[in-house]
Each structure stands twice: as C-alpha cells, then as structure tokens.
Amino acid sequence: SRLQRSWKCAGDVYLLGATNSGKSTLFNTLLRSDYCKSRAPDIIDRATVSPWPGTTLNLLKFPIINPTCDRIFRRQERLKEEATKTEDQLSSEEKKYLNQLKKQGYLVGRVGRTFQQQKSSAEIDFDPDTLSYSMDEDPRDAPKKLEEREEFTHNEVKDARWCFDTPGIVKEDCVLNLLTEKEVKLVLPSHAIVPRTFILKPGMVLFLAALGRIDYLEGEKPAWFSVLASNLLPVHVTTLSNADTIYEQHAGQEFLKVPMGGEERMKEFPPLVPQDITLKGIGATEAVADIKLSSAGWVAVTAHEEEELLLRAYTPKGTALVVREPPLLPYISTIRGARIPGTPAYRTKKPPSFVENLRTTGIR
C-alpha cells in the first residue's frame, strides 16, 4: 500500500539486502499480491527460498500493476471487507495457511488479491482411438501434449515497471560463511523463535552451540540471559572452571551440535576469540543490551538497577560480535515460565500469534 501511494509506477523496484534476510520470501509474497499485474503469477517463476546463501542466481522480476484511482479504491474496499472477518469465517484452505504462518512468526497477516486473471474452464480432449484395442492388447495411454508456456503480450510489458529480486549480499564477517549447508539449516530459524531465559551467577558460562559463549565474570547479583536463536541450537550453562574442557571435548560433537563433524571439522574451524563487555543494569524486567553473536543469534542481558556486570563474549575468529544498545526486545526476559528446580533455566513460553488484518474475538 505504501509503495503504491508513494512510488506508484515512477520506476523499477529492487529488493536488496544481505543473504538470508528474506528477499525471496518477500518477492514471492508481492508476486501474489495487488502489487503485481493480474496475469503475472501464472507466468513468472517464483524465487527459490533456501537457507543456503546465494540461491537467487538470476534477476527474477514481475511487472508492477499501475495503481490507478479505481484500482486503489477497489483494493481498499476489499481490505475493509476482509478486516471485518474473524478467523472462524475463513475457508479451510485459508485457515491451514494461517496456522502454518503462526508456526513461523508471531505477527502474521493474509495477503490477498483484488485483481485476478479469470481462468477459462479446462477442456477435456477425447480421443476414441485410445479406447480401441483388441483382446490381446493392453490399453494405450494417450500421448501427453506439451503445455504451452504463457507469455506476456507486447502491450502488457512495453511501458512496464518491474519489481526485481536480487542475489543476496554476502557479509564477510558472518558466521554462516563458515558453515556447511547442513549446519546452516540448523542455525537459521524455520519456526518462530521461542526465547530461552537463564539466571546466571558470577562465575557461570553460557554456550550457544559451539558458535558463541558468554562468561559472567564479575557482578554482585545474578543476572538474566535470554537467548534468541534457532530452537534447534542447544544452549548449555556451566561453570567458568569447566567451560574450556566442555568446548574442547564437545565442539564438533552432538552435545554442542554446530559445527558438526568431530575433530577433523574443528581443525579447520576458527577458534573462539573473546571480547570484554561492561554493562550497567536498568531493572529486573528490562534488558540493558543485546550481545549479538554474529548471525547465530543474540542474548539479551537483564540485570538489577545500577548493577555493574563484567562479561566476556566469544565468537569464531573473523565473525562479528556486536553489543546492541538499546536492545531490540527489552522485555523479552519476562516471557518465560516458572524456574526449573535445581537448574539455572526457566521453562519456555511461546506467546500466541496475532493476525494483523482480522477482527479478533474476545479479549487478548
């Protein structure tokens, strides 16, 4: 809607960004929306959505629809009508699609179409010869006709403006560059991330697989560390005295999971390098900063007000470690269940998904 209001058909549109940032998913969504000419979804190839960086090798494109006043009006009328629906009023197909989206994210929405190409009814070719065969013959299958690929007409594209999907920009300091395809699939989330919160005392260490480590070196009180990363990556908490031994024994093994491949894999994998971080807490319910462990995920740190913490964070050599202040989700540590007795972990809690363009029933 914003593109149609501000950019209209002034020129082409390019989707640019780092690898695995969601460009191809966005391209495929726009392709089946009111941003695209009505006949285009049946003609244009969909972009490849893959966890492997650099899978969009060609400049895929679709023609942008001209947002005339009449089209914008008809689109707004459709959106108003759909906003009055509840989830119970959706078709079984739409419900199934929404439930799939809810597994993937917390804020979801339906992308519909106002302008659709009317498809002609399919004609059935009948060949009586295929039913003629003797008693000692098997029935013959009719030869399959090659489907003719639809093409745009000259008038449809002569003055068209296009929306392009592009290959991703590879970040040099990204941990994904060091991983195999199997490892990348574990690191990149395919479902909505469920926050995992731990309470650590000074002298304790948190591992995110074998891709990141945070040591709580100095502080007066316990602090909360909320991990936001793929649900498939293991988190392990240990003591400072045992941390080096755990890494040496379990990096490359199932216990820490990524990287995988044993001693041979770890010989070629860069060592973890440290960076000291000093933080001052702002309250027991609000995180003071995120420690971003390259593209493996981040850890939100929550500490008591005015409490000074000395941390030491590690990522593989050559990858980026970033302290993000203010944090992206400052109250993430409050999304948790009860403390698991005898451990530093809290039970996980997945918030309900919210569908943006549907009328809700009851109080949320």
Side-chain angles (χ1 to χ4, degrees):
S1 296
R2 290 181 181 179
L3 279 168
Q4 287 180 336
R5 284 196 301 268
S6 61
W7 189 242
K8 298 182 180 177
C9 269
D12 296 333
V13 173
Y14 293 83
L15 303 181
L16 305 175
T19 53
N20 300 117
S21 56
K23 297 180 302 302
S24 294
T25 301
L26 177 59
F27 177 87
N28 291 335
T29 303
L30 291 174
L31 175 63
R32 304 197 177 277
S33 76
D34 287 339
Y35 197 57
C36 177
K37 287 196 174 185
S38 61
R39 229 164 57 85
D42 299 325
I43 300 174
I44 303 293
D45 290 327
R46 299 183 78 209
T48 303
V49 179
S50 166
W52 194 243
T55 48
T56 306
L57 301 178
N58 301 313
L59 279 179
L60 297 174
K61 64 180 181 179
F62 66 75
I64 298 169
I65 200 168
N66 183 14
T68 61
C69 292
D70 173 63
R71 283 175 176 152
I72 288 179
F73 174 77
R74 287 163 59 196
R75 170 174 159 75
Q76 292 303 319
E77 288 298 299
R78 176 182 69 82
L79 293 176
K80 286 178 187 176
E81 181 185 347
E82 291 192 347
T84 64
K85 292 182 179 179
T86 65
E87 201 167 324
D88 294 335
Q89 293 172 302
L90 299 180
S91 67
S92 58
E93 187 177 339
E94 285 181 307
K95 286 180 182 177
K96 183 178 178 182
Y97 179 60
L98 262 186
N99 288 333
Q100 184 63 32
L101 287 179
K102 288 177 181 180
K103 293 178 183 177
Q104 298 172 351
Y106 292 110
L107 177 62
V108 299
R110 298 174 303 141
V111 177
R113 301 204 71 195
T114 310
F115 323 106
Q116 300 197 47
Q117 178 74 8
Q118 296 296 321
K119 293 186 178 181
S120 58
S121 58
E123 294 183 5
I124 300 174
D125 289 332
F126 177 69
D127 181 5
D129 288 339
T130 62
L131 302 179
S132 303
Y133 55 93
S134 64
M135 294 295 290
D136 54 356
E137 260 186 327
D138 291 328
R140 293 167 295 170
D141 291 328
K144 292 183 179 179
K145 292 184 178 180
L146 292 174
E147 291 186 11
E148 291 187 11
R149 182 183 172 87
E150 286 191 73
E151 299 287 348
F152 289 118
T153 64
H154 173 71
N155 286 336
E156 283 178 310
V157 296
K158 66 176 182 178
D159 296 318
R161 298 292 184 263
W162 299 84
C163 178
F164 290 89
D165 190 20
T166 64
I169 300 163
V170 178
K171 297 182 288 184
E172 292 182 1
D173 56 2
C174 177
V175 74
L176 299 180
N177 301 336
L178 305 174
L179 304 180
T180 65
E181 183 173 3
K182 193 173 181 181
E183 292 164 350
V184 168
K185 287 180 178 179
L186 293 172
V187 172
L188 288 180
S190 58
H191 286 70
I193 292 173
V194 178
R196 289 172 279 178
T197 296
F198 303 82
I199 185 166
L200 270 59
K201 297 176 182 178
M204 298 181 76
V205 173
L206 182 147
F207 279 101
L208 176 60
L211 300 175
R213 165 180 165 178
I214 298 177
D215 299 355
Y216 184 4
L217 298 180
E218 294 178 14
E220 295 295 323
K221 299 177 181 177
W224 294 268
F225 294 75
S226 300
V227 177
L228 284 300
S230 166
N231 304 330
L232 300 178
L233 286 184
V235 176
H236 291 288
V237 174
T238 185
T239 61
L240 196 55
S241 58
N242 291 333
D244 290 343
T245 303
I246 284 180
Y247 184 81
E248 290 167 9
Q249 291 181 352
H250 296 288
Q253 309 296 332
E254 180 62 23
F255 185 71
L256 292 177
K257 210 152 201 170
V258 179
M260 55 180 66
E263 291 183 14
E264 291 301 313
R265 176 75 173 101
M266 295 312 298
K267 283 179 184 177
E268 64 184 29
F269 197 79
L272 297 182
V273 293
Q275 178 179 321
D276 285 1
I277 300 166
T278 303
L279 299 174
K280 181 180 283 190
I282 54 178
T285 59
E286 185 175 355
V288 58
D290 293 331
I291 300 175
K292 189 171 178 292
L293 303 168
S294 188
S295 295
W298 79 84
V299 179
V301 182
T302 304
H304 293 279
E305 189 174 358
E306 298 298 313
E307 177 75 8
E308 291 193 1
L309 311 180
L310 175 60
L311 310 175
R312 181 169 292 155
Y314 297 74
T315 53
K317 187 177 181 181
T319 64
L321 190 153
V322 177
V323 179
R324 182 165 53 201
E325 297 178 277
L328 189 62
L329 301 170
Y331 303 104
I332 194 67
S333 70
T334 62
I335 302 176
R336 67 184 190 227
R339 176 91 175 267
I340 300 174
T343 76
Y346 290 85
R347 299 191 187 281
T348 57
K349 186 177 179 182
K350 185 181 183 296
S353 297
F354 176 72
V355 184
E356 187 179 24
N357 50 351
L358 280 180
R359 185 166 61 86
T360 56
T361 54
I363 299 172
R364 295 186 70 98

